[in-house]
């Protein structure tokens, strides 16, 4: 068996198949480049709630108009990826508009929303958060939409313990007290009789209801509760198909059978709506005939400040290695969550020393002056400064150290970038899309 194989040369090789890598690869391919993607896994897409956050908070303040928020962002954080790649808030506005106008058609069809006004979307936890784009199956799960309905039923599923409609309602009612949103919720639960299993994940339920018999049961139970409670909107956890088109078809079938508006709530990880995006990205990349190589480990070769090739170990078992050569490279390997940045511990003089490194090219990292890196409260909008650790970059997304560009033919995109905090800002998939778009354009230039 041949264990080492040098494959043909590509125009652009992208490392990472999360949102940033996928958009970069898509854009480079649309611009006529021969593109390969190498990745160890699928990244953080499926962890997300399925909403595309662009800019929800600046300095802790809620952003109503995303594009106006950029002006404020430039004042408080001029090194933010949006501001750097746009060379200021006006350019950032233009790049974001172009990036979202050039999204793959299939991804566009999955979403409703715009870059102007943030929506306050309800979450499965009974909170709400600012976001720019929501999936069509969730289109009535925002505070503004909910206000249009007279009677809203929050529906749980007995076999799905992670979503408790009672808890949801008590939280959201507390949050909405003394606000302009006077919304009343009622609760109920249905049972799908899934082989007497008591505790299923949303993803398992989503897979099970693709079976006609189980979907029929869901429909019957839903319609029964609608007749009994007479709501005009039913909020359900996100359990419809992980295939976006099928999810839309399922929803309209449920709505027309039960004669009621139904809307999914954004989910907690690993989420069905997040998986929908991941599946759709894969489909889009395959349709463009982009070669995808899944690797256990990758190593870069450098010659005269140029990256020349990437070696990809396909399997440890038979040490099968392939080498991809390319004119340009894009590193979109994510943050500490996906392994784009790794942390190690050592003990020196009885103290624990924590270090961070970028494992593929050992690029220098920006590390913020230590605040509390991780907070026990995952939704804390001020902390988790661990997320700001990353690679510094210039306006063309080339990695820099001080003022020096590190490689002539390499670009960085997505959450491996320094100087932003997607939890504090609610900007995760927005930054991945804008920087993936820009990196795709830069890498496709000769
Ligand atoms: C729990 C959670 C919930 C979130 N919810 C939302 C939300 O609702 N809305 C929102 O907008 N954002 C959300 N985010 C943020 C958002 O998901 C991320 O910011 C975004 O997905 C980052 O995309 P990326 O492409 O930069 O990186 P990733 O998606 O992390 O992709 C990195 C890619 O690089 C690969 N990789 C890593 N290391 C290597 C290596 N050494 N060799 C080869 N490949 C490698 C990975 O396998 C993966 O393919 C959430 C994040 C988390 C963790």
């Amino acid at each position: 068996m041949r264990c080492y194989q040098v494959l043909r040369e590509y125009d652009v090789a992208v490392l990472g198949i999360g949102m940033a890598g996928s958009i970069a690869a898509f854009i480079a391919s649309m611009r006529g480049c021969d593109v390969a993607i190498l990745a160890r896994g699928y990244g953080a897409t499926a962890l997300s709630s399925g909403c595309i956050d662009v800019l929800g908070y600046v300095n802790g303040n809620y952003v109503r108009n995303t594009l106006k928020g950029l002006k404020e962002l430039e004042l408080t954080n001029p090194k933010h990826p949006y501001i750097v790649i746009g060379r200021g808030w006006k350019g950032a506005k233009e790049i974001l508009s172009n990036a979202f106008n050039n999204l793959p058609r299939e991804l566009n069809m999955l979403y409703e929303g715009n870059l102007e006004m943030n929506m306050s979307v309800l979450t499965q936890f009974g909170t709400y958060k600012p976001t720019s784009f929501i999936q069509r199956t969730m289109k009535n799960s925002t505070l503004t939409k909910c206000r249009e309905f007279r009677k809203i039923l929050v529906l749980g599923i007995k076999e799905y313990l992670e979503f408790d409609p009672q808890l949801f309602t008590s939280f959201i009612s507390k949050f909405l007290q003394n606000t302009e949103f006077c919304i009343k919720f009622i609760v109920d639960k249905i049972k799908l009789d899934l082989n007497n299993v008591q505790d299923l994940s949303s993803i398992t339920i989503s897979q099970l209801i693709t079976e006609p018999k189980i979907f029929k049961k869901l429909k019957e139970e839903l319609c029964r509760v609608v007749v009994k409670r007479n709501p005009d909107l039913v909020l359900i956890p996100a359990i419809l198909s992980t295939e976006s088109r099928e999810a839309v078809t399922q929803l309209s079938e449920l709505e027309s059978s039960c004669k009621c508006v139904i809307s999914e709530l954004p989910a907690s990880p690993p989420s069905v709506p997040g998986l929908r995006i991941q599946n759709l990205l894969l489909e889009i990349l395959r349709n463009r005939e982009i070669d995808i190589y899944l690797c256990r480990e990758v190593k870069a070769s450098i010659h005269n400040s140029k990256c020349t090739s990437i070696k990809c170990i396909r399997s440890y078992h038979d040490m099968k290695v392939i080498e991809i050569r390319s004119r340009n490279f894009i590193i979109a390997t994510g943050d500490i969550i996906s392994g784009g940045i790794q942390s190690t511990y050592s003990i020196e003089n009885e103290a624990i020393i924590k270090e961070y490194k970028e494992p593929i090219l050992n690029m220098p990292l920006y590390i913020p002056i230590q605040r509390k890196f991780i907070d026990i409260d995952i939704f804390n909008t001020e902390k988790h400064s661990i997320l700001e650790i990353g690679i510094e970059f210039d306006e063309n997304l080339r990695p820099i150290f001080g003022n020096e560009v590190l490689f002539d033919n390499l670009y960085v995109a997505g959450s491996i970038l320094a100087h932003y905090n997607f939890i504090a800002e609610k900007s995760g998939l927005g930054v991945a899309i804008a920087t993936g778009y820009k990196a795709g354009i830069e890498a496709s230039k000769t």
Side-chain angles (χ1 to χ4, degrees):
M1 186 183 7
R2 217 168 143 210
C3 288
Y4 192 95
Q5 199 184 0
V6 181
L7 296 182
R8 69 191 161 85
E9 185 163 336
Y10 290 88
D11 298 316
V12 178
V14 181
L15 273 80
I17 195 168
M19 183 62 93
S22 301
I23 294 296
F26 172 78
I27 293 292
S29 153
M30 290 293 280
R31 292 167 72 90
C33 292
D34 199 3
V35 183
I37 300 186
L38 298 96
R40 211 167 42 185
Y42 294 98
T45 320
L47 296 178
S48 77
S49 68
C51 302
I52 299 181
D53 304 343
V54 175
L55 188 61
Y57 293 96
V58 176
N59 230 1
N61 299 320
Y62 189 99
V63 170
R64 281 193 192 282
N65 183 311
T66 319
L67 296 177
K68 281 193 185 143
L70 291 168
K71 203 170 173 181
E72 190 62 29
L73 186 66
E74 181 171 0
L75 295 175
T76 55
N77 182 5
K79 290 188 169 181
H80 191 284
Y82 288 150
I83 303 301
V84 173
I85 63 173
R87 301 181 196 196
W89 71 271
K90 284 188 185 151
K93 188 173 149 179
E94 202 178 312
I95 291 189
L96 269 165
S97 304
N98 289 341
F100 278 86
N101 283 338
N102 284 287
L103 279 183
R105 192 178 41 86
E106 299 88 333
L107 199 57
N108 246 329
M109 281 167 59
L110 177 60
Y111 281 98
E112 290 213 345
N114 62 70
L115 284 173
E116 311 267 285
M117 299 304 286
N118 265 320
M119 296 173 262
S120 293
V121 68
L122 294 163
T123 76
Q124 201 170 302
F125 302 110
T127 58
Y128 58 92
K129 69 159 195 170
T131 195
S132 295
F133 295 89
I134 52 177
Q135 296 188 5
R136 291 192 188 280
T137 53
M138 303 171 180
K139 73 175 180 201
N140 287 299
S141 297
T142 67
L143 288 181
T144 312
K145 280 280 174 196
C146 281
R147 205 162 44 174
E148 293 171 10
F149 293 90
R150 180 187 45 91
K151 198 171 180 187
I152 302 174
L153 171 66
V154 185
L155 190 69
I157 293 169
K158 287 208 171 118
E159 292 89 343
Y160 179 43
L161 300 183
E162 273 171 51
F163 177 63
D164 180 346
Q166 195 71 55
L167 211 60
F168 169 92
T169 308
S170 64
F171 273 123
I172 195 66
S173 303
K174 235 177 247 157
F175 284 125
L176 295 183
Q177 248 172 28
N178 307 324
T179 70
E180 61 190 288
F181 294 99
C182 177
I183 302 170
K184 292 256 176 300
F185 300 95
I186 55 170
V187 298
D188 213 325
K189 275 191 180 181
I190 56 172
K191 195 164 187 292
L192 297 180
D193 289 332
L194 300 168
N195 306 329
N196 284 330
V197 187
Q198 300 299 320
D199 184 8
L200 293 171
S201 75
S202 56
I203 291 169
T204 312
I205 296 182
S206 156
Q207 280 158 354
L208 287 170
I209 64 169
T210 56
E211 285 176 32
K213 199 177 102 197
I214 298 180
F215 185 71
K216 186 165 168 263
K217 176 78 183 168
L218 170 68
K219 195 160 62 183
E220 282 168 3
E221 280 295 285
L222 231 161
C223 294
R224 184 185 59 76
V225 177
V226 167
V227 168
K228 188 175 97 189
R229 311 296 302 261
N230 193 26
D232 46 8
L233 169 66
V234 183
L235 297 176
I236 58 168
I239 45 131
L240 299 177
S241 175
T242 55
E243 299 302 325
S244 47
R245 283 166 288 259
E246 193 179 3
V248 171
T249 310
Q250 287 175 336
L251 186 73
S252 64
E253 195 178 331
L254 292 175
E255 287 187 326
S256 64
S257 303
C258 301
K259 297 188 181 47
C260 184
V261 181
I262 298 166
S263 188
E264 282 188 314
L265 289 163
S268 52
S271 81
V272 166
L275 255 185
R276 253 174 228 153
I277 317 179
Q278 183 182 298
N279 290 342
L280 201 57
L281 288 175
L282 263 178
E283 183 189 314
I284 291 162
L285 297 170
R286 288 199 179 115
N287 286 347
R288 290 220 52 86
E289 298 185 352
I290 291 171
D291 291 336
I292 299 170
Y293 303 97
L294 289 182
C295 314
R296 302 300 297 263
E297 206 175 315
V298 299
K299 289 270 168 264
S301 302
I302 305 296
H303 184 67
N304 286 343
S305 78
K306 275 196 162 193
C307 186
T308 51
S309 74
I310 300 284
K311 291 191 183 77
C312 152
I313 301 178
R314 299 274 274 175
S315 137
Y316 288 129
H317 171 64
D318 52 15
M319 291 310 281
K320 201 166 178 192
V321 179
I322 53 168
E323 186 174 349
I324 303 283
R325 294 183 182 158
S326 183
R327 189 161 50 78
N328 287 324
F329 293 83
I330 297 172
I331 307 288
T333 45
D335 53 19
I336 203 133
I337 294 161
S338 302
I341 293 167
Q342 292 176 353
S343 66
T344 52
Y345 294 89
S346 59
I347 298 177
E348 264 174 44
N349 299 331
E350 298 177 4
I352 297 179
I353 310 290
K354 197 167 183 191
E355 286 179 340
Y356 297 91
K357 82 176 224 185
E358 182 283 302
I360 299 174
L361 290 131
N362 204 15
M363 288 189 267
L365 294 173
Y366 162 79
I367 299 176
I369 299 166
Q370 184 98 17
R371 282 180 281 150
K372 203 170 176 187
F373 266 179
I374 302 180
D375 197 83
I376 197 145
D377 170 9
I378 61 162
F379 296 113
N380 192 317
T381 53
E382 281 162 20
K383 296 183 179 142
H384 309 301
S385 55
I386 196 166
L387 297 171
E388 290 157 40
I389 296 177
I391 293 169
E392 302 208 271
F393 49 94
D394 69 5
E395 65 272 22
N396 293 323
L397 288 171
R398 288 179 307 173
I400 55 169
F401 185 56
N403 287 329
E404 186 197 347
V405 173
L406 296 174
F407 302 99
D408 296 337
N409 64 339
L410 192 137
Y411 304 85
V412 275
S415 57
I416 195 169
L417 298 174
H419 299 302
Y420 82 102
N421 183 327
F422 78 81
I423 292 184
E425 298 164 8
K426 296 274 172 279
S427 63
L429 291 168
V431 170
I433 289 171
T435 58
Y437 168 78
K438 172 81 175 163
I441 289 180
E442 292 305 318
S444 53
K445 290 179 184 164
T446 45

